[in-house]
Amino acid sequence: MSPARGSLAVAAVLAAGFVFGQVSSKPPEPKPFTPGEPVEQPIPFSHKTHMGVGLKCLDCHAIKAPGDFAGFPAETRCMACHAAVKKDSPHIRKVAEARKSGTAIAWKRVYEVKEFVYFSHEVHHRKAGVDCGVCHGKVAERDVLFQEKPLDMYSCMKCHEQYKASNDCQLCHDAQ
Ligand code: HEC
Ligand code: HEC
Ligand code: HEC
Ligand code: HEC
Ligand code: HEC
């Protein structure tokens, strides 16, 4: 299904649900979760190596205002170390070229919600204090990331129920 049709379908379900009062705010049935395959990146970046040198998650994923996204680090941040560290590595040469040309490295996404779902890192991490690992697993131990936690509608709603956060459809979907 194309993204545009996906949002239309959700809007239609939401509208029908509100009109006929059939939409409950109970979580849907749990879906079985299978962890994803390791995601091969354009540059073999290891979280394990970089957490090992004393960096913090927010050093690279700054959650800049308005904070929907955690964000990816700019290549200048990488080169602060790599101007000296492993500068002759072919991988680091690619990072240096990306910085020079101003073209951001095209990291492949590991976690991504559909465009009709609203999510905020600012609210979950800074305001509610949920640790990154609850939603992304043991990142600091990984050389290569893969989806290790489910982020489907059931998982979102189950946690909202536990935290007594709202499960109104419009919290996560725009019913326009
Ligand atoms: C605080 C310093 C620091 C920062 C910032 C940093 N790195 Fe590193 N990086 C290291 C160290 C230390 C190593 C391990 C070097 C070794 O194996 O001797 C490393 C290793 C690597 C390697 C493996 C190189 C090879 O050929 O073995 C890659 C690729 C890499 N970093 C990419 C990045 C990218 C991309 C960024 C930015 C998102 C980044 N690094 C930011 C310190 C840093
Ligand atoms: C040195 C910078 C650096 C640090 C420190 C760092 N990351 Fe990352 N992170 C990256 C880069 C570069 C990528 C893209 C490559 C990849 O997916 O491995 C990434 C990707 C991710 C992704 C996948 C995003 C997606 O959906 O595509 C998650 C989740 C993540 N990091 C979480 C964390 C957490 C949690 C920590 C702390 C434990 C952390 N990162 C520390 C640089 C960093
Ligand atoms: C409550 C669950 C939750 C928590 C806590 C959380 N994330 Fe995420 N993260 C998500 C979801 C959902 C997505 C996909 C969002 C999207 O597609 O817009 C995501 C996407 C990402 C991405 C890639 C896209 C982006 O937003 O830039 C990175 C990087 C990331 N998270 C890092 C982190 C880090 C670092 C922390 C801790 C500081 C963290 N996340 C805490 C659920 C969470
Ligand atoms: C680990 C528990 C947890 C998970 C998993 C989780 N949430 Fe939340 N979420 C919360 C809590 C707690 C709040 C209330 C935060 C507050 O207002 O202090 C919240 C609030 C929200 C809000 C309101 C934001 C605002 O602007 O006030 C939205 C939207 C939301 N979550 C979407 C999602 C989506 C979409 C997912 C799944 C991809 C998800 N959440 C997964 C705990 C969670
Ligand atoms: C806490 C956040 C959250 C709340 C509250 C929420 N949803 Fe969702 N919804 C999601 C997420 C995340 C997805 C995407 C699921 C996926 O990608 O597997 C989704 C997907 C959907 C879809 C698309 C079909 C599908 O399964 O992918 C429909 C329709 C939908 N939601 C309707 C609703 C209705 C009706 C309500 C109110 C009862 C509601 N949602 C409440 C997060 C939420």
Side-chain angles (χ1 to χ4, degrees), residues 130-172:
V130 183
D131 187 71
C132 314
V134 174
C135 299
H136 297 305
K138 297 189 169 158
V139 171
E141 294 174 18
R142 304 289 176 233
D143 282 319
V144 182
L145 299 189
F146 56 95
Q147 184 176 352
E148 47 191 296
K149 296 282 177 181
L151 285 171
D152 57 287
M153 183 154 122
Y154 171 80
S155 321
C156 309
M157 290 177 91
K158 193 175 75 163
C159 186
H160 280 206
E161 208 173 60
Q162 282 160 0
Y163 276 81
K164 303 198 181 343
S166 164
N167 263 332
D168 285 351
C169 311
Q170 278 108 327
L171 188 78
C172 304

Side-chain angles (χ1 to χ4, degrees), residues 22 30 41 54 99 125 132 139 163 176:
Q22 290 162 344
Q41 297 291 351
R99 189 203 39 188
H125 184 70
C132 314
V139 171
Y163 276 81
Q176 288 307 292

Side-chain angles (χ1 to χ4, degrees), residues 10 13-14 23-25 31 113-114 116-117 151-153 156-157 160 167-169 171-173:
V10 175
V13 170
L14 290 169
V23 175
S24 82
S25 58
K31 271 202 235 163
V113 291
K114 299 193 172 114
F116 54 80
V117 178
L151 285 171
D152 57 287
M153 183 154 122
C156 309
M157 290 177 91
H160 280 206
N167 263 332
D168 285 351
C169 311
L171 188 78
C172 304
H173 305 296

